[in-house]
Amino acid sequence: MNKKLPVSHWFNDDLFDESLLKGFLLVVGVSCLILVSLNLLAEYYIIAFIETMLLILTVVVWFLPRQWHFYRWVVFFYVSFIFSGILIAVALSPLFSGRQVWVLIFPMSAYLMLGRRIAVWLSGVCLALVAIILYLRFYEPHGIQLVSVVINLVFAYLFLWGLTHSAEKIHKKMLATLTVVASTDPLTGLANRRNMIAKYEQQFKAAKKNGDGLAVVLIDLDHFKRVNDNYGHDIGDAVLVDFAERLRAHEGDSEQLFRLGGEEFCVLMSVSKSKAWAVSFCQYIHDTPFRFNGHDICYTASIGVSSSNEDGGDFKHLYSIADQRLYKAKNSGRNCVVLEG
């Protein structure tokens, strides 16, 4: 069975790039093994030596930790070594040896390993050097045939560069779209629990900078099963959408609103306004029925609130405290807010 790329790779640009890099290194390594053997048999010892050195460097880059301070410089040296080896092979080989086709790995290898900006000038310089070498060595004996070879190389090079660049842009757009889809509740349009911890850390730092704390407000719609049983699941979904709209209307920053699943929601907000907001919002839900197709659908909510000022700044602990207070609100008759205890 073929091994599939883990899902996490598609949502992590660095992991995805590393997978592409490992694939490239694997191809280079296997190619070096084959070419070293062939060139030794053909007694091209200089080329075989260069390919052996490339094989060693490929193994080094494979196992080199990407977090290392000098990693980028090692990769730059590695790519430069590949390009230098290709230039030497082109300079020492007959025109129709086929080694010139290795020029075509310039755009993709440079792009994958060094990024677009460095790849543009490095691969461009190398292609220009190849054209100069071919002209100096072969123009006089081959003339128009050499021009044909160079033109084909240039067009193939440009095609591969455009293909690589387009694939990278499409991947970036797909990654951004998939990230939004994966972190958004499809029914209400609110964020889901996938990125709630990351959002909490961002909001917590901002609140501390402003001299405030951050509160976790957990909200659960009371007896929501009765809504589904009495009116049907379609209207139950409409109630959830209505509730999400009410959250947006009462808390302007939509990045702080989350649907955790079912009828449970979460709001991250500053401690200074959380208690008054929770009480006011709970009362608003009670006093304002949801009107749908001529029916007034009344529902209420239970709310539990925890704050970093009183309960500590760890998200999991704050969430647990808010969850306990939410259930305390439900056990106290529902349609109320529990702020402490």
Side-chain angles (χ1 to χ4, degrees):
M1 182 180 292
N2 293 331
K3 184 178 179 181
K4 294 183 178 180
L5 192 66
V7 173
S8 59
H9 281 60
W10 299 103
F11 294 92
N12 188 310
D13 217 13
D14 291 336
L15 290 177
F16 187 82
D17 289 344
E18 184 175 356
S19 298
L20 292 177
L21 173 61
K22 290 292 180 69
F24 173 77
L25 293 175
L26 184 62
V27 171
V28 172
V30 172
S31 300
C32 285
L33 283 173
I34 296 173
L35 292 174
V36 166
S37 302
L38 292 176
N39 285 316
L40 285 175
L41 290 174
E43 299 183 350
Y44 295 133
Y45 297 118
I46 295 177
I47 296 177
F49 174 75
I50 293 172
E51 290 165 346
T52 302
M53 294 298 295
L54 177 58
L55 177 60
I56 294 172
L57 281 173
T58 301
V59 174
V60 170
V61 174
W62 180 285
F63 290 104
L64 201 64
R66 298 194 69 177
Q67 298 78 20
W68 188 40
H69 182 68
F70 297 103
Y71 177 82
R72 295 280 294 177
W73 286 105
V74 174
V75 171
F76 181 82
F77 175 78
Y78 174 72
V79 174
S80 300
F81 185 87
I82 293 177
F83 291 0
S84 299
I86 293 173
L87 292 175
I88 292 172
V90 170
L92 297 178
S93 302
L95 178 60
F96 301 105
S97 65
R99 293 192 178 95
Q100 291 82 9
V101 298
W102 282 97
V103 172
L104 301 180
I105 75 169
F106 286 175
M108 186 173 296
S109 56
Y111 204 114
L112 288 177
M113 303 185 73
L114 298 172
R116 180 170 58 89
R117 184 174 298 178
I118 298 177
V120 168
W121 68 262
L122 182 60
S123 55
V125 167
C126 290
L127 183 64
L129 289 175
V130 168
I132 292 171
I133 291 171
L134 291 176
Y135 176 81
L136 294 176
R137 284 204 60 202
F138 302 113
Y139 182 75
E140 186 173 339
H142 294 285
I144 194 65
Q145 286 182 305
L146 175 64
V147 174
S148 176
V149 170
V150 172
I151 289 175
N152 278 284
L153 282 176
V154 169
F155 277 109
Y157 173 91
L158 292 174
F159 172 78
L160 286 174
W161 176 264
L163 188 64
T164 304
H165 182 60
S166 299
E168 177 71 5
K169 288 185 67 175
I170 291 172
H171 170 245
K172 295 285 187 184
K173 290 181 179 179
M174 289 179 62
L175 181 66
T177 302
L178 287 172
T179 301
V180 171
V181 170
S183 60
T184 302
D185 173 54
L187 178 64
T188 63
L190 299 179
N192 59 26
R193 65 169 67 242
R194 178 184 292 272
N195 63 348
M196 188 163 60
I197 296 179
K199 290 293 184 182
Y200 170 82
E201 296 297 337
Q202 294 174 6
Q203 300 289 342
F204 182 57
K205 291 177 181 177
K208 285 180 65 177
K209 189 177 295 185
N210 295 329
D212 202 346
L214 195 64
V216 175
V217 181
L218 288 184
I219 309 171
D220 193 272
L221 303 190
D222 297 328
H223 301 300
F224 184 71
K225 185 176 183 299
R226 294 180 185 175
V227 175
N228 284 328
D229 291 342
N230 293 335
Y231 299 100
H233 288 277
D234 288 344
I235 293 183
D237 288 347
V239 169
L240 293 173
V241 173
D242 170 71
F243 184 78
E245 291 302 321
R246 298 186 188 206
L247 280 176
R248 290 188 181 95
H250 281 74
E251 176 52 49
D253 189 351
S254 60
E255 291 192 0
Q256 298 183 181
L257 308 177
F258 304 87
R259 182 188 177 199
L260 305 183
E263 63 272 20
E264 188 172 4
F265 297 80
C266 178
V267 183
L268 303 177
M269 64 173 58
S270 62
V271 170
S272 58
K273 75 171 188 177
S274 61
K275 295 181 179 180
W277 183 92
V279 173
S280 172
F281 185 70
C282 184
Q283 188 64 43
Y284 166 73
I285 295 298
H286 174 269
D287 294 340
T288 313
F290 169 48
R291 189 159 187 80
F292 185 81
N293 289 342
H295 297 282
D296 284 338
I297 302 173
C298 298
Y299 64 93
T300 59
S302 299
I303 302 177
V305 182
S306 61
S307 70
S308 60
N309 291 352
E310 300 171 3
D311 305 304
D314 179 71
F315 173 77
K316 290 184 179 179
H317 179 67
L318 275 181
Y319 183 89
S320 176
I321 296 295
D323 193 48
Q324 293 172 24
R325 291 173 182 171
L326 171 61
Y327 277 93
K328 188 174 181 180
K330 286 187 170 295
N331 293 331
S332 299
R334 305 177 190 266
N335 187 29
C336 64
V337 179
V338 175
L339 304 170
E340 56 187 23

